[in-house]
Amino acid sequence: MSIAPKTCKEMPVTTLSIPTVGSMGKTGSWRTFRPVVDYSKCTRCTLCWIYCPDGAITRQEDDSPKIDYDYCKGCGICSNECPVKAITMEREGE
Amino acid sequence: MAQTVIDTANHIAAYAAKAARAQVVAAYPITPQTSIVERIAELVESGEMDAEYIRVESEHSAMSACIGAAAGGVRTFTATSSHGLVLMHEALHWASGSRLPITMSVVNRALGPGWNIWADFTDSMSQRDTGWIQFYCADNQEVFDTIIQAYKLCENERVLLPAMVCLEAFTLSHTYMPVKIPDQEKIDEFLPPYKPKWFLDVNNPFSHANLVSPEWYMEFRYMMQEAMENAKQLIPEIGKECGKYFGFEHGGLIDKYKCEDADLILLTMGTIGREAKIAVDNLRKEGFKVGTARVRVFRPFPKEEIRKLAENTQMFAIIDRGISFGMEGFLAEEIKASLYNHEDRPLIAGFVAGLGGRDVTFKTIEKIARKSSEWMQAGKVEKETLWVDLRE
């Protein structure tokens, strides 16, 4: 809901939630380390896409990963799982 | 043509669910409710009733399935008793908080231990604060009519709350009585198809019953309280309308009998109220100015009508088929609370009777009335709560 109701007369009868992007905030701001993909090393195995617990990696047309930095919390699982070490974790702000 | 059938209140409840065109029934069996959902299963199987019948693994699941179905925008029905209802408790809150007009018949049965399958109001009284409307019936015709009325009430935009239609174990559930079942066309006219205020739709996705911060929670609760107050206004109106359609009225919020000039009023619920009418007639012959008032609706509680009833009488004798341990009978508590800020406060005596299916006959009620009359003449209630026929 973009405009908050002022009284209960303007409220729905019960708690109904319409899905909106980032309604609870963009969780990418929680990140300390940022995954960076070296596409020259990437073998398109898609393991990072499978393992990402937040669904913050999308599979591009050539099967290479694309990280959504608005929602990636920087957990590092993709980097850990990558069999060819194509994803490195870099400290934010450096 | 309207049809008169002779059947048990349980089967009548099943026919009422069919007549109301309930579209989804999710149920789990428990004595003495089982023959309601068994009969519905037969009606669905034979094609007489057009409904989806969901067999579930517990009463908690039965209510959860009803919530899911009702959130999908369809009319739902279930039935339970005693331990089944108590197991359902958590889901009851989800139903009312989601403002889903589910109707459920509750066959009132005692809670164990000791294991007991007979009449007692403790099961549904323990659900007092779940936000469900509660009706209590005194005969099989009332069971049928109240289920139809409950849907009409609950689906009203000003209410949108679920309702329990309660009937006592065996005294009603397994007792055969004649019941007039109106023509389906007339029922459909009285109760048109359910038009949900909201429903889950894949083409317009949203979810319900999500996290609500302290900033908004109270307002949702306040709206439920308002809905209860609206229900209090609508119940007598719908009752009258139903009477015009089908010929029977059952008394609105309180079914009053010979109360106008009564010095002593016996307040009851359920079948004890019907028995109390016989007691009143007998006592009237002896010159006692006594009347009886059967509270049909426990939530919302008809406190305004209780106050009106208190204006011209000297004493209330309240008979409870249940006890709130450590306090008093449920009905006695509510009646006393209703009168505290009121000028006319009669003497009040509470009587606990009929627990676990012990018979409460007109003779028991006459005894209660005589004891109350003694206290009324003395101007003092000797015992706030008296357990009737107790082996003390």
Side-chain angles (χ1 to χ4, degrees), chain B residues 39-266:
Chain B
R39 181 50 56 96
I40 292 177
E42 286 165 6
L43 292 169
V44 173
E45 180 67 19
S46 68
E48 287 169 78
M49 183 171 171
D50 183 18
E52 203 62 48
Y53 192 94
I54 310 174
R55 287 170 298 165
V56 288
E57 68 276 47
S58 75
E59 287 83 358
H60 190 278
S61 304
M63 185 44 60
S64 302
C66 284
I67 290 168
V74 300
R75 194 172 278 162
T76 53
F77 181 82
T78 187
T80 192
S81 274
S82 185
H83 290 268
L85 179 62
V86 175
L87 178 61
M88 206 185 259
H89 178 81
E90 191 224 353
L92 295 177
H93 284 276
W94 288 97
S96 59
S98 302
R99 308 298 297 276
L100 298 169
I102 299 161
T103 289
M104 164 164 70
S105 49
V106 173
V107 180
N108 289 114
R109 165 190 149 181
L111 286 155
W115 204 234
N116 176 304
I117 57 169
W118 295 275
D120 195 299
F121 285 142
T122 308
D123 55 359
S124 57
M125 289 293 165
S126 307
Q127 315 311 321
R128 188 188 67 176
D129 302 332
T130 54
W132 280 61
I133 291 162
Q134 290 193 340
F135 291 97
Y136 288 83
C137 300
D139 63 43
N140 295 7
Q141 184 72 52
E142 192 177 357
V143 170
F144 186 90
D145 295 355
T146 307
I147 289 172
I148 305 288
Q149 288 174 35
Y151 279 111
K152 193 168 175 86
L153 172 77
C154 298
E155 291 172 6
N156 187 298
E157 268 203 18
R158 292 169 61 207
V159 179
L160 294 175
L161 286 173
M164 293 177 198
V165 177
C166 304
L167 55 118
E168 283 146 280
F170 300 101
T171 320
L172 286 183
S173 72
H174 288 63
T175 302
Y176 283 74
M177 291 182 205
V179 172
K180 203 172 129 194
I181 296 182
D183 293 340
Q184 188 61 46
E185 276 170 28
K186 278 199 114 181
I187 295 172
D188 291 343
E189 205 182 303
F190 178 76
L191 182 67
Y194 171 40
K195 283 201 198 91
K197 177 93 174 160
W198 63 269
F199 66 99
L200 298 178
D201 177 2
V202 286
N203 297 317
N204 175 28
F206 63 87
S207 57
H208 77 100
N210 288 305
L211 184 79
V212 172
S213 63
E215 202 184 347
W216 297 108
Y217 185 85
M218 266 180 81
E219 280 71 17
F220 285 113
R221 297 279 127 174
Y222 178 76
M223 288 192 277
M224 287 169 73
Q225 174 67 7
E226 272 190 327
M228 277 285 183
E229 291 298 326
N230 293 341
K232 206 157 47 176
Q233 286 177 7
L234 286 165
I235 289 165
E237 290 172 22
I238 291 174
K240 278 208 180 92
E241 195 187 338
C242 184
K244 265 186 218 149
Y245 261 81
F246 310 125
F248 296 102
E249 277 189 42
H250 302 282
L253 298 162
I254 302 182
D255 176 21
K256 296 181 277 284
Y257 185 68
K258 300 192 177 172
C259 289
E260 299 79 15
D261 64 337
D263 293 330
L264 170 69
I265 295 176
L266 304 161

Side-chain angles (χ1 to χ4, degrees), chain A residues 1-7 9-12 16 18 20, chain B residues 215-216:
Chain A
M1 205 176 288
S2 53
I3 302 161
K6 287 192 178 64
T7 69
K9 285 182 187 66
E10 297 165 22
M11 288 167 67
L16 304 176
I18 296 158
T20 40
Chain B
E215 202 184 347
W216 297 108

